[in-house]
Amino acid sequence: MQSLWWQLFDILGTTAFALSGTMVAVSRRMDIFGVFVLAAATAVGGGILRDIIIGNIPPAALRDDLYLWIVIITIAVTCAIIRYITMRRDLMDRFKNVYLMSDAIGLGSFTVTGTMLGCSYYPNMWVLAVTLGVVTAIGGGVIRDVLAGQVPIIFLQDVYASASLIGSCMLYITFIILGIPAEISCIIGFSITLILRVLAIHFHWNLPRVRRKRRDDIL
């Protein structure tokens, strides 16, 4: 079931992640082809992984040219704005804030689309629904970081994947278990994911790390 709300969050997430991918590519001084590849991988990578898991072949991102146009338009607008920002060094901090916020919005949006797809097709399989939500949300970001030559953020710092996990669980609970209407459940799942991610950025929340006591007690 792809309702209007699902489509709105899908477009929002695609745009937000295309923006974050473009910004990372520009910061890495990639050429225009590299910018396109990184933006597209970030925008649709998680959705493609989601569709492969549920057997929706070929993936929606490869069947509908809407996603391609979203990526192209986002790249064009972002690159035009960045050229202006580079002449205004006082705005560079805003550049980073825009990247972080777009990434958080994409995380929340794709948490909703992945979880709702699982709820629609497999309402009694909560593990699958939540997994689809998290994979859709973090898949593109992981691919982006790998292509950009850096360790994916989900393995290093901040509450990222866990924010998506909590938002996905809350969406499933409100929609399937409590029977709250889809549009309200989507907003709840999106809001929880976004708020947790923003708070994690602001307060530098991190998950516990495994620390060794001596250098010689591990290979």
Side-chain angles (χ1 to χ4, degrees):
M1 177 185 67
Q2 295 187 5
S3 65
L4 176 62
W5 280 92
W6 189 94
Q7 294 172 347
L8 288 175
F9 278 110
D10 195 40
I11 293 173
L12 178 61
T14 302
T15 304
F17 270 154
L19 173 59
S20 72
T22 300
M23 296 177 109
V24 171
V26 171
S27 70
R28 292 285 177 171
R29 300 184 181 277
M30 296 184 180
D31 61 20
I32 191 62
F33 180 73
V35 172
F36 173 78
V37 170
L38 208 64
T42 310
V44 303
I48 290 177
L49 292 175
R50 174 201 65 210
D51 288 347
I52 291 175
I53 290 175
I54 63 176
N56 184 20
I57 305 296
L62 303 180
R63 287 187 276 112
D64 191 343
D65 60 1
L66 172 64
Y67 299 95
L68 175 62
W69 287 112
I70 290 175
V71 171
I72 292 174
I73 293 172
T74 302
I75 290 174
V77 173
T78 305
C79 289
I81 295 175
I82 287 174
R83 285 185 63 86
Y84 168 72
I85 290 179
T86 55
M87 296 185 294
R88 298 276 305 278
R89 293 298 179 181
D90 57 308
L91 297 179
M92 290 306 292
D93 287 340
R94 298 183 185 179
F95 179 91
K96 181 179 180 180
N97 291 335
V98 169
Y99 161 74
L100 292 173
M101 183 55 66
S102 66
D103 193 59
I105 292 173
L107 185 76
S109 299
F110 279 163
T111 295
V112 169
T113 60
T115 306
M116 286 302 295
L117 205 61
C119 291
S120 299
Y121 288 100
Y122 309 98
N124 297 322
M125 301 173 65
W126 71 271
V127 173
L128 177 59
V130 171
T131 299
L132 291 177
V134 175
V135 168
T136 308
I138 70 172
V142 171
I143 296 173
R144 175 198 64 209
D145 292 342
V146 171
L147 292 178
Q150 56 192 29
V151 178
I153 190 174
I154 65 171
F155 300 137
L156 288 179
Q157 60 183 1
D158 297 328
V159 174
Y160 193 87
S162 51
S164 174
L165 176 63
I166 294 172
S168 180
C169 288
M170 290 304 300
L171 196 161
Y172 184 88
I173 291 171
T174 55
F175 182 54
I176 299 298
I177 297 179
L178 301 181
I180 296 176
E183 57 271 19
I184 298 178
S185 298
C186 287
I187 293 175
I188 291 174
F190 172 80
S191 299
I192 289 176
T193 304
L194 179 62
I195 290 172
L196 286 175
R197 179 61 187 143
V198 171
L199 289 176
I201 294 171
H202 182 74
F203 293 107
H204 304 288
W205 289 346
N206 297 298
L207 295 178
R209 296 186 181 184
V210 177
R211 300 185 183 277
R212 51 184 177 171
K213 299 178 68 174
R214 304 188 308 274
R215 289 188 176 183
D216 58 348
D217 60 356
I218 190 171
L219 294 177

